[in-house]
Amino acid sequence: MHTLDRIYIDGQFVTPHGEELFDLFNPATEALIGQVRLGDAQDARAAVAAAKRAFPAFSRTTKAERIAMLHRLHDAVAPHAEALAAAMVAEYGAPAYFVDFSARRSASVFLDMAKTLEDFDFSQTIGRAEVTLQPLGVVAAITPWNSNYGFICGKLAGAIAAGCTIVVKPSEMSATQTDVLMRALHEAGLPPGVFNIVNGRGEVVGAELTSHPNVAKVTFTGSTPVGRAILRAASETMKRVTLELGGKGPNIILEDADLETAIPTVAMMGFGNSGQACVAGTRILAPRSRLPEILERLKTAVAALKVGEATDPSVMIGPMVSQKQWDRVQSYIRLGQEEGAQLLVGGEGRPDGLDRGWFVRPTVFVGVNNDMRIAREEIFGPVLSVIPYEDEDEAIAIANDTTYGLQAYVASSDLDHARAVADRLESGRVVINGAPHEPLAPFGGFKQSGIGREYGRFGLEAHLEPRAVLA
């Protein structure tokens, strides 16, 4: 068992002032695999001070200099993909397909942002005014445990491109991944204080960052309730905020969908990343005219999804991240039955043959209406609900009848038809027929799924403030 006792401030690995030790577990075995020494409010203040000292010089770097830094960050992180993947497997238990994507993506986001920056104009003339886009200042980035190093790299890339300095507070549950990434990032040789990383609890380090007067912007990925708290705290000093929050994504199967290809895609869009994903398509909207066939195919598709340890490359669904998360998902499976929904597949407890680890039986409810809590609340586990609809207008009404609006899905054999439906959905992203991720497109949500956008041009602009000079 190892103890991680370093954070990164002002270009150096330092011992935290905080003394609390937090246990780290392997969720597939429930074994204690290490501890991390957490930073405290004093560590957060030291990191902010370092970022503030670095900001004046860094904000004046040229676009070419920052593009070069982004390439150096890519070159520093890319060789560590295998170590990052191993850390994610040990600490989070994600299946191989997700681990591989995350490990590659952690480095490639820097190249994506460099490409965005190449074509970005920081100044323009509007009437008689010269308008320039200025970096905001010190950014505080708070990241979750379900894609730890991907979120860190994405937020770091946006800040660097804009000329902002940054303090990152990752989830304390992802400390092994953070340690591997932190040491890789150090190899890029960026100026001291440009980026800083402080492990710690949200209510301690996160709270200090969101209230600190020298932090100009907070970017947070996580739950909607925590996002609300951050927004309230940030408002005291008028911080700019980017919040990427929860979701309850609709996955609309249109009447003209080819079920042979649509159903496996629908299942993976719901169960991807073991269901621990804000973008999961957890509400399957099915035309009543085709409901029996859809349910039969869905039951078969879900039964074929293997649950187990990530060391098995055929596994599609891994464990929940913690005992707490396992208990939460189990409570929703019980709740669904109490609300009157029926189990098409799955149910409470562990899958057969798995007597340890925080594994959940992939579960699909039928007999669900959109007023049930299992259809309205984010469960963050492998639990889906099938909701029938009579016609397309009703499907769209059900899809939009939610407090969330992060990512939606449409399945159709007619692309023009699918696009017409997509245009009516209140969602930050709409994925048609399982289309692959587009790294340069903006990412963020409508309604209570968040504020602002990340990635590409929109993510870069979120770190900038326009200034008009009139002469």
Side-chain angles (χ1 to χ4, degrees):
M1 188 177 76
H2 60 280
T3 298
L4 303 171
D5 61 354
R6 291 292 184 271
I7 56 178
Y8 192 76
I9 297 177
D10 209 15
Q12 299 182 57
F13 298 97
V14 299
T15 302
H17 174 268
E19 297 180 346
E20 179 185 359
L21 294 177
F22 181 86
D23 291 337
L24 303 171
F25 294 90
N26 181 322
T29 65
E30 304 180 40
L32 180 67
I33 58 173
Q35 291 183 314
V36 56
R37 180 169 170 174
L38 300 181
D40 59 12
Q42 182 170 319
D43 295 307
R45 289 191 291 271
V48 172
K52 183 175 174 60
R53 286 193 300 271
F55 176 71
F58 187 66
S59 65
R60 293 192 297 272
T61 55
T62 66
K63 186 166 75 169
E65 287 173 325
R66 297 201 293 277
I67 289 172
M69 289 181 196
L70 290 166
H71 279 273
R72 279 157 48 196
L73 287 164
H74 166 268
D75 294 345
V77 172
H80 296 275
E82 188 173 325
L84 288 168
M88 179 177 266
V89 168
E91 191 171 60
Y92 179 49
Y97 67 88
F98 183 78
V99 171
D100 291 344
F101 170 81
S102 298
R104 293 193 308 272
R105 176 86 181 124
S106 62
S108 67
V109 292
F110 296 112
L111 297 183
D112 294 334
M113 188 52 74
K115 181 178 179 181
T116 298
L117 192 53
E118 286 174 0
D119 300 323
F120 191 83
D121 193 349
F122 284 85
S123 64
Q124 58 182 303
T125 300
I126 301 177
R128 290 177 289 106
E130 183 69 21
V131 179
T132 58
L133 297 175
Q134 302 291 320
L136 284 167
V138 176
V139 174
I142 302 174
T143 62
W145 43 259
N146 65 324
S147 185
N148 177 65
Y149 45 76
F151 285 119
I152 293 175
C153 290
K155 293 179 189 297
L156 176 59
I160 296 297
C164 294
T165 55
I166 188 169
V167 179
V168 181
K169 190 220 83 70
S171 169
E172 63 275 17
M173 297 169 66
S174 304
T176 305
Q177 299 168 66
T178 298
D179 190 69
V180 174
L181 180 62
M182 181 169 65
R183 295 177 188 281
L185 293 171
H186 175 71
E187 295 172 8
L190 267 60
V194 168
F195 76 90
N196 309 268
I197 300 176
V198 180
N199 284 310
R201 293 185 181 274
E203 63 269 25
V204 179
V205 174
E208 179 64 32
L209 294 176
T210 54
S211 62
H212 198 293
N214 289 335
V215 170
K217 173 186 171 70
V218 177
T219 172
F220 167 76
T221 300
S223 72
T224 296
V226 175
R228 291 193 196 102
I230 288 173
L231 188 59
R232 285 193 293 267
S235 70
E236 291 297 320
T237 48
M238 296 297 174
K239 294 180 187 355
R240 279 47 178 163
V241 295
T242 297
L243 304 175
E244 192 270 286
L245 307 176
K248 195 68 179 176
N251 200 328
I252 305 175
I253 303 172
L254 296 178
E255 273 197 313
D256 61 10
D258 174 11
L259 299 184
E260 185 75 26
T261 56
I263 294 301
T265 301
V266 165
M268 279 311 301
M269 295 303 100
F271 291 132
N273 196 7
S274 308
Q276 297 177 126
C278 50
V279 296
T282 53
R283 293 183 296 146
I284 301 172
L285 277 54
R288 197 177 294 277
S289 61
R290 303 189 70 183
L291 189 59
E293 183 184 4
I294 288 171
L295 294 183
E296 181 182 352
R297 287 178 176 271
L298 189 59
K299 186 174 183 178
T300 300
V302 175
L305 296 176
K306 188 172 183 179
V307 182
E309 294 192 43
T311 50
D312 181 348
S314 66
V315 161
M316 301 303 290
I317 300 177
M320 300 297 93
V321 70
S322 65
Q323 178 74 57
K324 179 180 178 181
Q325 187 64 18
W326 189 88
D327 290 340
R328 172 185 169 85
V329 175
Q330 296 299 312
S331 72
Y332 272 101
I333 295 174
R334 288 192 296 273
L335 173 64
Q337 295 171 86
E338 292 167 1
E339 289 185 301
Q342 298 88 47
L343 291 167
L344 176 70
V345 63
E348 295 178 68
R350 292 183 178 86
D352 295 340
L354 294 171
D355 57 1
R356 66 173 184 174
W358 296 310
F359 296 99
V360 172
R361 298 172 67 191
T363 296
V364 178
F365 280 106
V366 296
V368 179
N369 66 66
N370 206 48
D371 293 326
M372 292 180 177
R373 286 179 59 192
I374 57 169
R376 303 202 71 81
E377 299 176 13
E378 187 175 45
I379 298 172
F380 227 64
V383 181
L384 311 181
S385 296
V386 179
I387 304 173
Y389 67 85
E390 296 294 342
D391 57 35
E392 208 162 277
D393 286 340
E394 185 183 22
I396 292 166
I398 294 170
N400 291 336
D401 179 20
T402 173
T403 58
Y404 296 109
L406 185 59
Q407 188 153 297
Y409 303 84
V410 179
S412 172
S413 59
D414 183 336
L415 187 56
D416 289 336
H417 183 197
R419 287 183 183 277
V421 171
D423 285 344
R424 299 174 65 187
L425 298 178
E426 298 166 356
S427 182
R429 276 193 180 187
V430 181
V431 177
I432 296 175
N433 294 335
H437 174 64
E438 173 46 67
L440 299 183
F443 181 65
F446 287 20
K447 298 185 277 191
Q448 294 188 38
S449 282
I451 296 174
R453 294 296 183 268
E454 295 184 284
Y455 305 121
R457 183 181 187 90
F458 291 87
L460 174 55
E461 289 176 347
H463 293 82
L464 300 167
E465 196 83 87
R467 180 177 66 196
V469 177
L470 287 72

